[in-house]
Amino acid sequence: MPDRGGGPTGPRIRVGRPSRRVRTLLMTLGVLAVLGMAFTMFAGFWTDWLWYRSVNYSSVFTTTLWTKIGLFFVFGLLMALAVGFNIWLAHRLRPPLSAMSMEQQSLDRYRMGIAPYKKWLLLAITALVGLIAGASASSQWRTWLMWVNGVPFGEKDPQFHLDVGFYAFDLPWYRFLLGFGFAAAILSVIAAALTHYLYGGLRITSPGARATAAATGHLSVLIGIFVALKAVAYWLDRYGLAVKSSDFKATDNWTGLRYVDANAYLPAKTILFCIAVICALLFFATLWRRTWQLPVIGFGLMVLSAILIGGLYPAIVQKFQVQPNEQAKEAPYVEKNLKATRDAYGIDGTQVTEYPGTSKTEDKTQLRDDVDSTASIRILDPNIVSPTFQQLQQIRNYYAFPTNLDVDRYAKDGKDQDTVIGLREINLNGIPKRNWINDHFRYTHGYGVVAAEGTSADSQGRPDFTESDLPSKGDLGTYEQRVYYGEKTTMYSIVGGPQKEIDYSDDSGEKTYSYKADSGVSLSNPVNRAAYAVAFGEPQILYSGAIGDGSRILYNRTPKERVEAVAPWLTIDGDAYPAVVDGRIQWIVDAYTTTNGYPYSSRTTLGDTTADSLTATNDNRAVVAQQNQVNYIRNSVKATVDAYTGEVKLFQWDTKDPVLKTWMKAFPNTVEPKSEISKSLMDHLRYPQDLFKVQRELLTRYHVKDATTFLSGSEVWQVPDDPTNKSGSATPPYYLSMKMPDQAAQAFSLTTTFTPNGRDNLSAFMAVDAEAGTSDYGKIRILKLPTNTTVNGPSQVQSQFNSEQDIAETIRLLRGGDSEVEYGNLLAVPLDGGLLYVEPVYVRGGGLKYPLLRKVLVSYGGTTAFEDTLGEALNKVFGAEGATPEPPDEDDGGTTPPPTSANPNVQEALDDAQKAFEAGQEALKKGDWEAYGKAQKDLEDALRRAEDAQTQGDKTGGGAGSGGGGAKPSGSPSPSGSPSGSPSASPSGT
């Protein structure tokens, strides 16, 4: 029978409160979420610490971290105390009874509502402002470290006679303190005013007085502090005029005092300082007078004075004193700016020499021999031939070369020669099968250096390789060839564990390898694995069986990333370059110290001045610090990054730079002394391109030393646009070995040209000695052409090339079918009062995917030539076609064609060598390796016979006209080191 009672017939249901199981679950999820967020934050911190410790720069991490923490807590606490104290004081000074008015009755509801939570509300407000202020202050760690470690420059500004270090190190910190003080004062005034209003100390609509005496005194003191800080600001503004940028027709980003600053703004700031001090005292006086009348009058006077004295008076001085006689008024200040700017950018020692621009020698054939001694003309353009390196020396698809190769110097037969060099780096896009194991465990590194003579090419227009094949072999000797750190190596790799790596492949198959160095961070610890799994968002790191004892994770693998991380106070050059040094591949990175606080020195934006046609069109050539405005720069540090171990070394280069000395005090034992640079490393250091680009941009105006010429603008130059492409960007500077008119021998140099502002003819040629370790390193020489004559500039020379009928017809024929013509670097070389222009021309013909050197354009004194080789083009330009050319020397790079041998035995051997070479090429196309090997053997035999016959002819006197070592068939490759001489290289290159 059913229950007839009044009780419920089913289970009782509770509404509104979750069950214990649900509460436990929610609590657990909340705890896990908090722990997850905490571990995520810990993972970022821990992995950073592990990385800095792995590269032996943990002091950089700890110094930076503790500085940030210290600034955060000190200034966060100060801001919290300032705001919190004034809220507490305003509450303490509240009137005992509020006026009976509608306004106060409305406020009573808010007062009653927050009464139980007053302490918590006070803590929340102070904590919030403290966190914001602390975070802002921690970002000023560089400013703090420069202030506390600053060293004097030993130079004084011409206006206030203070050391430059005051403006570079002290003034930025004082300005930060002033800004912090303003923020604290304003927030305190707002917080105190709101509290006084809430508790009746301030009244808007209530009858009677608008403010109590306590509120009046409290707010007056706070406003007085604000006005006192304004007085300090006026005083600092006086010194700030020395580093203030302004618009001035003489130059963009003018910095320093002008006539109106020294004679109007400077006295105005002093007067305003005095007025502000008086006004602040009037506000403080309200503690006794309890009236706002005098302070308000004083504050109004200060504002009116700021408008009249600080704004109107300088405008009147500028209008009626400066403009009618600007040059005379501004000249003394322009001279100060000229000197300071030249000093700050290191261009004060620039040697400017008048240069006629035209040759005085009537018989131009005499100049033909002078070309070889004047310059080793580089016809291999490192910005064009990367695809050629890629096709001929990539070997495997998982290797790649950078878009722009580099120019370095390597000794051959006791003489330095310009060399184009690139590393065969790992290219993950070329991996046959992409997966996590392949990407991060098997394909981990590149392999070997590929280098070619910069001054020559083989008969087919390919680079004349001095280091090639896989493993690489050639002139560079024995060195560690594995490239774990490089410009294109951006992915992390896990090495050294149970999973073997792909080393390289040859005819005998695939080679494996296991990383031997101590680089990277060990993953043997499960905490480390968990941290990296979270930091990299890759959970497989935590549980993958491919990770075990000995596993290490490598990341931050580009040279620029590594140097920026270990030296965050440096500005890094946009182009690192590799060099083989003491059996290791070392990336060399130039780094700069900068400041924008050098008095009177005009500012420049690094991103604008270091941009050119290469940064506009290529991905691996970056501009420096895109938005950074500086007015002082030094190449103070040379850094190296080992391509195998990733070891970073910083070397002091500019031993006099006070900015570097300051940072070395802040981060002791991070920069090694200059004396630690080895001779072998010194041989490969060079003058950096980005510094040169900054200096050449400044020298478009600052090559003049007198104020009158500077103000007139008659000597303003510009860097011409690159005529070899359509980017519309500036011509990049070029490295080549050459000698200026006052030099006795060639020196490795960095060169550029200038044209008059708005015109295309040449106005000057600039070169800097780029060979480190020499007495003239860094010396800038400018050859200034006369303004009353017209010498063709780069764009005019390029236009002349394109407009000559014979050249235009040849270019049209070269472009026939699917071929493309690419113009290489247009090099300019001073020669006997004139300018010699040389430009290699490359062709991508038919099915070829890479450019080959086909022609060389040469221009001198209005005469142009367009020939197959540099030697032929020079002969034509200088009217020396009929002369028997001298044997090629190292400076000429072997580009002059060898003379015809007078010895019939030599000639017969050369003919046989030519036939063997052609037979080898034919066999190569057919893939007949047996025939190819036979042809190569015949080629070597023929060359050996030619050499023996030549030697015998020299002994008997019958070979005088053979040119010594010129016994080599036209177009024949060297038996060793060339792509066509290596069966293993050829299939991958085609």
Side-chain angles (χ1 to χ4, degrees), residues 51-52 55 57 60-61 64 141-142 559-572 591-593 637 639 648-651 660 663 667 670-671:
W51 186 86
Y52 275 97
V55 294
Y57 282 89
V60 174
F61 179 80
T64 305
W141 63 272
R142 290 181 177 86
K560 184 176 180 181
E561 281 180 325
R562 296 182 78 78
V563 176
E564 280 180 330
V566 304
W569 35 274
L570 290 173
T571 300
I572 310 302
Y592 309 107
T593 50
V637 171
V648 182
K649 288 187 177 181
L650 307 176
F651 296 98
L660 178 61
W663 287 119
F667 296 96
T670 57
V671 181

Side-chain angles (χ1 to χ4, degrees), residues 120-175:
W120 292 106
L121 187 60
L122 178 62
L123 287 175
I125 293 173
T126 54
L128 178 63
V129 297
L131 286 172
I132 295 173
S136 176
S138 66
S139 66
Q140 298 294 320
W141 63 272
R142 290 181 177 86
T143 308
W144 160 260
L145 287 176
M146 292 184 77
W147 177 67
V148 78
N149 295 289
V151 301
F153 272 67
E155 299 177 16
K156 295 184 177 181
D157 78 282
Q159 181 67 41
F160 302 102
H161 307 293
L162 296 174
D163 188 88
V164 172
F166 168 80
Y167 300 93
F169 307 135
D170 299 344
L171 190 58
W173 178 249
Y174 297 153
R175 282 176 165 168

Side-chain angles (χ1 to χ4, degrees), residues 433-745:
K433 184 178 181 180
R434 297 292 301 273
N435 56 54
W436 189 64
I437 293 294
N438 279 345
D439 286 359
H440 301 289
F441 290 82
R442 286 175 56 79
Y443 295 91
T444 59
H445 60 277
Y447 208 99
V449 171
V450 176
E453 291 186 11
T455 54
S456 66
D458 70 12
S459 63
Q460 298 183 40
R462 299 175 305 186
D464 190 358
F465 291 107
T466 58
E467 185 80 9
S468 59
D469 298 338
L470 183 68
S472 296
K473 55 183 178 291
D475 295 347
L476 301 185
T478 303
Y479 58 96
E480 172 56 66
Q481 298 199 16
R482 296 173 182 90
V483 181
Y484 282 88
Y485 295 87
E487 289 180 305
K488 301 178 74 69
T489 313
T490 56
M491 295 282 283
Y492 72 87
S493 288
I494 298 175
V495 298
Q499 178 65 59
K500 294 293 185 181
E501 310 163 41
I502 299 295
D503 203 25
Y504 65 91
S505 300
D506 59 15
D507 293 339
S508 61
E510 202 169 70
K511 310 291 185 183
T512 59
Y513 180 74
S514 187
Y515 190 60
K516 306 297 183 186
D518 294 331
S519 179
V521 178
S522 173
L523 293 180
S524 300
N525 186 327
V527 175
N528 291 359
R529 293 177 66 170
Y532 278 102
V534 172
F536 286 10
E538 190 58 74
Q540 293 184 82
I541 295 177
L542 185 60
Y543 56 78
S544 173
I547 302 176
D549 290 340
S551 291
R552 310 184 72 83
I553 185 167
L554 313 180
Y555 61 104
N556 286 351
R557 297 171 70 185
T558 68
K560 184 176 180 181
E561 281 180 325
R562 296 182 78 78
V563 176
E564 280 180 330
V566 304
W569 35 274
L570 290 173
T571 300
I572 310 302
D573 190 89
D575 181 37
Y577 61 97
V580 178
V581 180
D582 295 329
R584 315 286 299 186
I585 301 174
Q586 298 283 353
W587 288 98
I588 299 175
V589 184
D590 286 287
Y592 309 107
T593 50
T594 62
T595 179
N596 66 353
Y598 197 101
Y600 272 101
S601 173
S602 290
R603 289 184 172 88
T604 185
T605 304
L606 292 181
D608 294 339
T609 53
T610 59
D612 58 28
S613 62
L614 296 183
T615 62
T617 57
N618 295 303
D619 55 357
N620 70 301
R621 186 67 61 86
V623 297
V624 176
Q626 185 72 45
Q627 301 301 323
N628 276 19
Q629 273 211 333
V630 304
N631 65 356
Y632 173 93
I633 185 170
R634 288 290 186 273
N635 177 212
S636 296
V637 171
K638 300 283 189 181
T640 61
V641 178
D642 192 292
Y644 182 76
T645 65
E647 180 185 21
V648 182
K649 288 187 177 181
L650 307 176
F651 296 98
Q652 183 181 17
W653 184 246
D654 189 333
T655 57
K656 298 179 180 179
D657 177 29
V659 181
L660 178 61
K661 291 179 181 178
T662 295
W663 287 119
M664 289 175 68
K665 282 181 63 180
F667 296 96
N669 303 319
T670 57
V671 181
E672 298 184 31
K674 187 175 183 178
S675 59
E676 293 298 313
I677 299 177
S678 65
K679 172 63 169 60
S680 52
L681 175 58
M682 185 73 75
D683 290 341
H684 295 282
L685 300 182
R686 68 188 192 189
Y687 201 82
Q689 291 186 69
D690 285 332
L691 175 60
F692 183 77
K693 286 189 279 189
V694 170
Q695 290 174 326
R696 75 172 179 178
E697 183 64 32
L698 268 296
L699 283 168
T700 58
R701 291 180 179 272
Y702 286 90
H703 61 277
V704 301
K705 295 183 179 180
D706 63 287
T708 302
T709 306
F710 185 83
L711 284 167
S712 69
S714 60
E715 291 289 332
V716 175
W717 300 336
Q718 65 182 11
V719 179
D721 291 340
D722 191 345
T724 65
N725 60 56
K726 298 180 181 179
S727 67
S729 301
T731 300
Y734 296 123
Y735 286 106
L736 77 156
S737 293
M738 57 159 289
K739 67 176 182 180
M740 295 288 273
D742 65 327
Q743 291 180 292

Side-chain angles (χ1 to χ4, degrees), residues 294-306:
L294 285 178
V296 169
I297 293 174
F299 189 78
L301 177 63
M302 187 180 74
V303 173
L304 182 62
S305 300

Side-chain angles (χ1 to χ4, degrees), residues 251-334:
T251 181
D252 297 330
N253 295 318
W254 168 276
T255 302
L257 286 84
R258 291 157 51 196
Y259 181 89
V260 69
D261 297 311
N263 295 278
Y265 281 110
L266 188 58
K269 296 292 184 183
T270 305
I271 294 172
L272 290 172
F273 163 77
C274 297
I275 294 174
V277 169
I278 295 171
C279 185
L281 294 174
L282 291 175
F283 274 105
F284 294 144
T286 57
L287 286 172
W288 298 275
R289 292 180 55 85
R290 303 294 184 182
T291 175
W292 291 74
Q293 185 176 5
L294 285 178
V296 169
I297 293 174
F299 189 78
L301 177 63
M302 187 180 74
V303 173
L304 182 62
S305 300
I307 296 172
L308 296 178
I309 302 175
L312 185 60
Y313 173 62
I316 293 173
V317 171
Q318 178 69 25
K319 179 71 175 177
F320 296 102
Q321 290 191 32
V322 177
Q323 288 185 4
N325 192 17
E326 187 173 40
Q327 286 205 358
K329 296 290 187 183
E330 300 287 15
Y333 304 96
V334 170

